Each structure stands twice: as C-alpha cells, then as structure tokens.
Amino acid sequence: MSVVNSSNREPEVIYSIRGAQFRGIRGRLLTTRLMARELISSRELIFRLYARDFSTKYRQSALGVLWALLVPLATVAIFAGMNSAGVFTIEEMSVPYVVYALLGISIFNLFNGVLIASTPSVVFAQNMVSKINFPKTALVFSASIHGLVDFAVRGVLLCGVFLLLKQSPHPAGSVLGVVALLPLYLFSVGVAFFSTMLNAILRDITNVVNFGCMGIMMLSPVLYPISGDSLVARFNVWNPFNYFINVPRDLILFGSSKQMVGYGIWSMISLAVFYVGWRFFFIAQNRIVERI
Amino acid sequence: MDIAIRVDSVSKKFCMRTHHIMLYGTIDLWRSFCGYQKDNSSLRSGEFWALDDISFEVKQGEAVGLIGPNGAGKSTMLKLLNGIYLPDSGRIEMYGRVGALIEVGAGFHPMLTGRENIYLNGGILGMSKAEIRRHFDEIVDFSGIEPFLDTPVRHYSSGMYVRLGFSIAVHSNPEILLVDEVLAVGDAVFRRKCLQYMKNLHKKGVTFIIVSHNMMTIEGITAQCLYFDKGKLAGDGAPGDVISLYEMSLAQKEADSGNRIKPDHEQYPDSLDLVEYWDYGTAEVHVRAVRLYDMNGEKKGRFDSDEGICVEAVLDSAIEGNVLFWLTLANSDNVACMGSLNIPYTMKKGVQNVRFTFNPLRLSTGAYKIVFVINDETGTNPYSNGHYGFFEVLKKSAVVNPGFVAPICWVEPEVESSVIIRDNSSGGTKGV
C-alpha cells in the first residue's frame, strides 16, 4: 500500500465548478491534453466495455453475430426485389446492383451502427455512472467499436458476394476505400458524442436518431444512385453522406472517384465535428451524470 | 500531519422535478459548450440545496464518519469527493488516489461470470489489466466466491455480490477510501472481515471517509465525525459527541410527533418529554413527570457511563393495588439496553413519587429514553405505557468493544466443567 506523505504537496486533483484540475497538468491546450490523457488511460477500459457488450449481446442469441449480416442482406434483398418488380427503376450501372447496394448499406451502417450503439450508452449505464467515477467518454468510444466490427463482419459477406457474382473489387482502391472510411467514422463518433449527451437529458433523442438515420439513408445514395436535377440531388450537393458513401464505394469498385473535392472538404469538417463533440462531452460529462 | 482532503465552502444543488432537469440540463449543457460558467450560487425555480456551504478538512491517515438522517447530503458529499458530481460552488482538494465503495458491484454485468466481472469492474475502478492479474487471487480469496467464479453473477446472492464488489474495490490500492454503507447486506462474518480489513488499511495510513447509519461502526472505526442535516454541517468533532448530538436531534424529532398523554410540563417543567405512547396502555395511571437525578440529587440530562442515575416518576393514579413496573433504558432504535422488569409496587390513589436508582449506569455513548410501563399484578394489563426522553450518556473510559452494554443485573454464573477429550500429547489418555 503506497501512501503519499510528502509535505507541501499539491493536491492530486481539485474539483470545482470549472471541472477537475489534475496535478502537473497546466498551460496551453489544457482541455485537449486532458482529453488525450483520459483516452490513453482508458484504452483498456474501452476494449473491456466493448468485449462486455459484444459477449452479452450474443450470449443467449441463436444466430449471434449473423444478425450483423442478416439486416443489410434483407434490406438489399427487398430493394433488389422492388427493382426487379419495377416498383422503382434504378439507372443502369456497371456493377451488379446487389454489390452496389450491399457496399452502400455496409458503409452507411458504420454511421448508423456507431450512432445507435452510442446514443443510449450512458443512459444504459446510469447505475454505473452515478456510482463510480470513470471516464464516461469510454462508453461512447467502446460503443463506436460496434460499428467498426459490424462493418468488418459485413466485409466478409461482401467478399462472398463478390466471389459469387464473379466480380472483383479494385485491388489498390479497396485498401484506399477502407482508409477513406475514417472521416465517416470520425464524423459518426463526433455526432454520437452530441446525441449521447443530449439523450442523457432528453430521452427522445434515441427515437430521433433511429428515425433520422432512416431518413438520411433514404435521402442519400446508399441503396440507389441519385443524379439529375431533382430536389434530392440538389440536397445531396450539401449532404456529407453523398461523399462519405460514394467515394469509398467508388474507390473499392473502380479505384477512383469524381467526388474527391467534396469528400476532402467534408473530411476536414468531420475532423472538426469529432473534436468538438468529444470536447463538449468531456467538459459536460459530470453535469450529464447529475441529470440522469 | 498532512492534509488528505480539504473541502472549502462547497455547495451542491439539484432539481426536484424532471421537467426542470430537462430544461436546466439543456441550458447548462449549452452554456458549458459556449464556455460560459454562470455564477451558480443562487437557486432557480424548482432547485434545492443538497449541500450548502460545507467546509472541513481530513488529515492523512484519519478515519472520518459521516452521519445524519436520510436525505441529509452524506452520499452527495461522498460523490463530490469522488468526483462523480462537481460542486456548484466552492472547491474540493484531494491529496491521493481515491477509491470508492459507493455501491459495490455497480459496474457488474449480470450476464458475465464472476471472473469476467473482476476484470470489468477492476477496469472501471481504474485498475490496469496487469494490476488486476496481480491481485486476482487475493480478490477471489477475500471474496470467498471461488466455487462460483465461473457462474454468471445474476445467479449470485446479494451477499455474494457485495463480497465480490467489496473485494475488488479494496484491492484497487486507494490512498483515500470512500465507503458508503455498503456492508449492510453482507453476513456478520464477512462484515467483520471487511471491518478488520478496513482497520488494517487504516493502520497502513489509508484515509477513510465512511457513511453509515450504524453508530457502532462509526464509533468503532473513526476518530472524527461529521453530522449532516438538511444539507448543512450540523456537527463536527469526536464521534461520541457528534453521535450524541445526532441521536438527540433524532429523538427531538420523534418527541415533536408524539402529543398523547404527555407529562404535565406546566407543573413539572423539568420532566422528560413523552416521545412515544403505546395505545394498549389503559392510561388509568397518568405519568405526570419523569425526572432524572444524579447520585447527589442534582437534576441532570447528561450522565457519564460510570456514574449512577435516579429516575423519578410522578404518578397520578386512579387505581390502587399491586402493580408491576417495567423500567428499561432504551436507545432510539427501541433496543432496551439495561433496566429491570417486574418491579413490585403497591399503587395508591392520587399523586405519588417513585424513585428508581441504577448505579452505575453502564451504557455506551448515545441518546437514551426511559421506557416506563405500569402493569397490573399479573404483568399483562398495562395501565400506562410510555417512552420518555431523551437523555445523553457519554462513555467515560475507553470502550474495548464499542456498543457493548453491561446489564445492571450482572450475575456471576456457577461454572462446572467435565473433560470430553483430553489432550494426550503429554502422555494423558482420551476419555469421555
């Protein structure tokens, strides 16, 4: 048992209305350094919380992780069926529709999965957060891993579909395409910080997120290309998902994309959203706990 | 001695209603987003002070007890010290790594096994994987749940849950340990083991803050006691004095609610109050006053544990004949700590004084009341049945076993023995 016994020492931590001030951490970019310190110190916890959720999510489930495949498969099957039945017409494309749609929905589900797993994470852990002092950001980061893992599982499904349809993705583009998902992931985590925080105070946010994700999917080029001069097409000029979905998909399928400028701009914005969301959550986490 | 905890003019407010939580929560979040820290020293509509201007210091290696009625702010104080909540005004300085037992097992997942939960809960409490591995065997040994280590904790009893949670928390190597009434569910053996473990930590220099409603725990472990009442610090000092203050206050609240068949305070202003009256007394004998004297005949309300007490009852009787008095001294939990049953007396019609002397008064520190029942000669039909209080007792000398009460009717038993099995190591024989 080690016990501090030096005299005239500084407090280990000071709690005041301004938040927690830790010994030896002062100066410029204080909040950012504290955020980074918290992330590094809680990295084991993040993975342990993820492992907990993963193992308990599928522990009494017959299909287990297959659920990550079934939902996108069913969605694509419905759209493919509607397309072939002539309910709506999808313009001619150089790759099979199933590959296009499955890739689109897998990419979109990265955003969807992160947001849906993260938003109620603090509320679900309310007993823990109100009784134990630990970094609440770990809950959001660990929930965001769900989106990544589900995407990886769907990647296996995609490989199967490529083989089945005798299609091949662009070799170098596939690697670039996966890397190009990073801005979408950062954007998703940034938004998740806001939604998690708000959901702790207003429980409506969970429903808003579910409904909003469905709406965004319908308005974005996830399951069908959007072109021409329609209202939806004009909206998509400003829609970040237009770039976050099309660019990685184009890179994987064709090795290049025509939307790189918009993608670059939105990548910068996604970085800002991630930082601002994280910082906001970091500063407000104690206030959130008080109001759960 | 160095400071371990300094609390300086700390206040904390909460909302009473959900719509205020939502409204103010949204406003405060927006303000913190904009970096605007409003002066939080005033209340908005629907808010109340859970803690109001609290200041105290704890020296390193000290054990401090927080006592007070429910809703007094003890747990809120502990959460502020742990950094779960932030103060709305004032500041808290913590000089050391803090471990908290605010609710053991709060981080457990019911679907996971005990083994998985040790790693999970340890991580939540700030332990690294290497630290948990290093302490794993100690945690399991201390908790005593080894046979169930691979069973999901949802199948654990509440006692097992607490055992495991306590065991993980105390092995997280804290320099300051905050403990909030967590051992209430454990069995007596484990509770004793935990208290012993905490005493050992204390000897090693760990600073303790303990919230408990069990005054024996507080008196047995702590050297300083803080009494919280309605969010304010109502007492700060040695445990005996502060516990007494708290119990007197509780007793006063109890007395305020009892208004039946009261003593005649106009004629006997120095009488104890009626704090409880049982309906099954026929009230044919009215206890007009219950007064306390020391052995010199001086009226007193506060006694040392080694001096004598004289209880004087002024009785106004409508009956005459043989009666049996039951007179016991009970604490505020209605536990009779000493006294006597079936004291014979011949009641006369009219007003009379009856005196009962207990010398010495061997009670531990605390607030006590006189439970005075006047039964008929069969001991089954009470004429009067009231509790009168309260008076204080301060332990005079060190109490080896705090809370232990020596009865006045202390009788030396006759001791007989017979050898069942003889130790034959020195060449003896076994026999029955």
Side-chain angles (χ1 to χ4, degrees):
Chain A
M1 184 64 53
S2 63
V3 173
V4 181
N5 56 6
S6 59
S7 53
N8 299 324
R9 65 217 155 95
E10 276 186 66
E12 194 83 14
V13 58
I14 298 172
Y15 298 115
S16 69
I17 190 169
R18 293 174 195 284
Q21 294 166 254
F22 295 90
R23 184 171 57 182
I25 304 179
R26 292 205 182 86
R28 298 173 70 185
L29 296 172
L30 180 65
T31 308
T32 309
R33 281 159 53 214
L34 285 172
M35 285 157 60
R37 178 183 185 261
E38 186 180 89
L39 178 62
I40 292 164
S41 67
S42 60
R43 63 193 186 284
E44 275 187 25
L45 176 62
I46 291 169
F47 288 106
R48 205 163 285 147
L49 287 170
Y50 172 73
R52 173 197 71 171
D53 293 341
F54 183 84
S55 111
T56 53
K57 189 175 172 186
Y58 298 121
R59 191 156 283 198
Q60 277 192 351
S61 158
L63 294 177
V65 77
L66 285 178
W67 280 109
L69 306 178
L70 285 176
V71 177
L73 261 182
T75 314
V76 170
I78 290 166
F79 273 84
M82 284 161 68
N83 185 26
S84 63
V87 177
F88 64 89
T89 335
I90 292 168
E91 63 187 61
E92 283 293 313
M93 50 181 74
S94 54
V95 290
Y97 172 72
V98 172
V99 171
Y100 176 89
L102 210 50
L103 201 46
I105 203 164
S106 297
I107 295 169
F108 182 74
N109 272 347
L110 178 61
F111 171 77
N112 195 39
V114 168
L115 212 58
I116 286 175
S118 302
T119 303
S121 59
V122 170
V123 174
F124 284 165
Q126 61 178 295
N127 187 40
M128 195 163 88
V129 296
S130 61
K131 306 283 166 50
I132 305 171
N133 185 14
F134 70 101
K136 268 60 82 181
T137 48
L139 291 168
V140 178
F141 280 120
S142 81
S144 77
I145 300 176
H146 284 283
L148 289 175
V149 172
D150 284 359
F151 179 79
V153 171
R154 285 182 199 116
V156 177
L157 171 72
L158 271 167
C159 291
V161 171
F162 272 118
L163 282 174
L164 199 69
L165 299 176
K166 293 178 182 148
Q167 295 285 316
S168 60
H170 191 280
S174 296
V175 178
L176 281 175
V178 172
V179 174
L181 292 172
L182 185 65
L184 175 61
Y185 175 70
L186 293 178
F187 185 81
S188 310
V189 178
V191 174
F193 274 121
F194 284 104
S195 63
T196 308
M197 202 164 18
L198 289 173
N199 189 57
I201 295 164
L202 305 164
R203 301 292 194 272
D204 318 59
I205 301 299
T206 306
N207 293 330
V208 170
V209 163
N210 288 333
F211 185 70
C213 283
M214 198 169 67
I216 291 169
M217 191 178 84
M218 293 299 171
L219 291 171
S220 305
V222 176
L223 290 162
Y224 35 77
I226 295 168
S227 55
D229 193 30
S230 64
L231 188 65
V232 177
R234 284 204 295 279
F235 161 76
N236 268 287
V237 175
W238 302 101
N239 178 7
F241 295 96
N242 183 25
Y243 306 100
F244 288 147
I245 290 162
N246 274 340
V247 170
R249 179 165 53 193
D250 289 349
L251 287 172
I252 291 169
L253 292 176
F254 314 116
S256 64
S257 174
K258 292 174 187 164
Q259 294 179 299
M260 291 308 285
V261 176
Y263 174 80
I265 293 167
W266 276 106
S267 295
M268 293 293 126
I269 295 172
S270 72
L271 205 61
V273 169
F274 172 71
Y275 177 75
V276 173
W278 184 13
R279 187 186 168 102
F280 188 10
F281 189 95
F282 177 82
I283 293 170
Q285 55 184 322
N286 288 77
R287 298 288 171 201
I288 296 167
V289 171
E290 290 166 17
R291 289 174 169 86
I292 282 181
Chain B
M1 205 187 291
D2 284 344
I3 291 285
I5 300 169
R6 180 177 285 127
V7 176
D8 185 15
S9 307
V10 163
S11 298
K12 183 74 205 162
K13 59 186 175 183
F14 288 124
C15 296
M16 278 185 273
R17 296 183 189 281
T18 312
H19 66 268
H20 284 131
I21 292 173
M22 288 158 63
L23 175 66
Y24 299 149
T26 312
I27 293 170
D28 291 347
L29 275 185
W30 180 246
R31 278 180 177 151
S32 60
F33 181 54
C34 300
Y36 171 61
Q37 294 291 356
K38 188 182 171 286
D39 171 29
N40 267 11
S41 57
S42 57
L43 292 177
R44 294 173 285 195
S45 167
E47 288 183 327
F48 68 98
W49 290 116
L51 286 173
D52 189 7
D53 197 22
I54 305 293
S55 299
F56 63 87
E57 282 185 356
V58 179
K59 299 272 192 304
Q60 197 186 311
E62 269 188 355
V64 175
L66 307 191
I67 60 170
N70 293 332
K74 309 179 295 294
S75 296
T76 303
M77 189 71 245
L78 226 54
K79 287 181 180 181
L80 285 164
L81 294 176
N82 193 206
I84 295 171
Y85 297 159
L86 289 177
D88 283 310
S89 65
R91 77 190 232 145
I92 296 169
E93 296 173 6
M94 303 296 286
Y95 295 77
R97 175 175 164 160
V98 179
L101 285 155
I102 289 178
E103 186 182 299
V104 286
F108 284 176
H109 195 291
M111 297 273 277
L112 299 182
T113 65
R115 186 188 300 276
E116 291 167 320
N117 269 307
I118 290 176
Y119 281 96
L120 174 66
N121 203 233
I124 293 167
L125 293 172
M127 295 167 82
S128 68
K129 200 172 181 177
E131 262 182 290
I132 300 169
R133 271 208 199 110
R134 207 165 47 243
H135 292 294
F136 189 85
D137 290 341
E138 293 166 48
I139 292 170
V140 174
D141 280 351
F142 189 86
S143 65
I145 54 114
E146 194 174 0
F148 306 97
L149 201 55
D150 293 308
T151 307
V153 298
R154 64 182 160 159
H155 298 307
Y156 282 18
S157 69
S158 52
M160 287 162 74
Y161 220 77
V162 168
R163 279 163 175 261
L164 187 59
F166 181 89
S167 190
I168 299 167
V170 291
H171 286 91
S172 64
N173 204 21
E175 290 160 348
I176 299 169
L177 189 58
L178 313 172
V179 187
D180 189 359
E181 195 77 270
V182 290
L183 300 175
V185 257
D187 61 35
V189 176
F190 186 71
R191 223 166 34 234
R192 197 176 306 130
K193 195 172 163 185
C194 292
L195 289 173
Q196 193 53 50
Y197 193 88
M198 288 201 278
K199 280 181 182 172
N200 289 342
L201 287 180
H202 187 203
K203 277 184 198 157
K204 289 176 183 171
V206 174
T207 307
F208 275 90
I209 301 277
I210 300 167
V211 170
S212 182
H213 288 285
N214 186 333
M215 295 305 131
M216 290 179 192
T217 304
I218 295 286
E219 205 168 8
I221 294 180
T222 66
Q224 188 191 348
C225 194
L226 305 172
Y227 164 32
F228 285 78
D229 193 18
K230 293 174 186 162
K232 289 184 181 290
L233 197 56
D236 177 0
D241 291 340
V242 178
I243 289 170
S244 174
L245 184 70
Y246 167 49
E247 295 208 339
M248 288 299 283
S249 151
L250 277 184
Q252 190 55 49
K253 282 175 190 164
E254 199 181 336
D256 290 345
S257 61
N259 54 5
R260 292 168 290 170
I261 316 177
K262 287 184 168 178
D264 184 355
H265 282 293
E266 273 187 26
Q267 197 173 345
Y268 305 98
D270 49 354
S271 170
L272 294 177
D273 287 321
L274 179 74
V275 292
E276 200 159 346
Y277 192 87
W278 296 90
D279 283 338
Y280 50 81
T282 61
E284 285 171 274
V285 180
H286 179 197
V287 180
R288 298 181 67 176
V290 175
R291 297 185 287 200
L292 303 178
Y293 300 91
D294 65 11
M295 290 299 95
N296 299 321
E298 297 290 323
K299 283 180 193 140
K300 279 175 80 170
R302 187 172 187 165
F303 294 83
D304 290 333
S305 55
D306 60 356
E307 71 175 312
I309 186 172
C310 175
V311 181
E312 182 191 63
V314 180
L315 307 177
D316 187 353
S317 175
I319 53 116
E320 61 181 359
N322 293 333
V323 296
L324 293 171
F325 292 128
W326 289 12
L327 195 146
T328 52
L329 309 187
N331 66 15
S332 52
D333 293 330
N334 284 328
V335 176
C337 298
M338 65 173 289
S340 188
L341 304 180
N342 298 333
I343 309 163
Y345 176 73
T346 305
M347 186 73 76
K348 294 102 191 166
K349 275 191 177 177
V351 179
Q352 57 222 282
N353 283 6
V354 187
R355 287 182 168 226
F356 307 86
T357 302
F358 297 100
N359 191 10
L361 182 61
R362 292 187 204 160
L363 292 171
S364 189
T365 300
Y368 294 88
K369 57 187 176 182
I370 309 287
V371 178
F372 188 42
V373 186
I374 305 168
N375 282 313
D376 65 6
E377 59 185 329
T378 65
T380 53
N381 179 30
Y383 296 116
S384 173
N385 188 353
H387 296 191
Y388 305 86
F390 272 80
F391 67 97
E392 284 180 82
V393 176
L394 278 177
K395 65 179 181 194
K396 190 68 178 171
S397 52
V399 175
V400 179
N401 299 307
F404 184 79
V405 176
I408 195 75
C409 48
W410 193 261
V411 178
E412 293 298 329
E414 285 183 25
V415 181
E416 282 185 69
S417 70
S418 60
V419 177
I420 306 295
I421 297 171
R422 181 174 293 165
D423 181 358
N424 59 359
S425 59
S426 58
T429 53
K430 278 189 180 179
V432 176

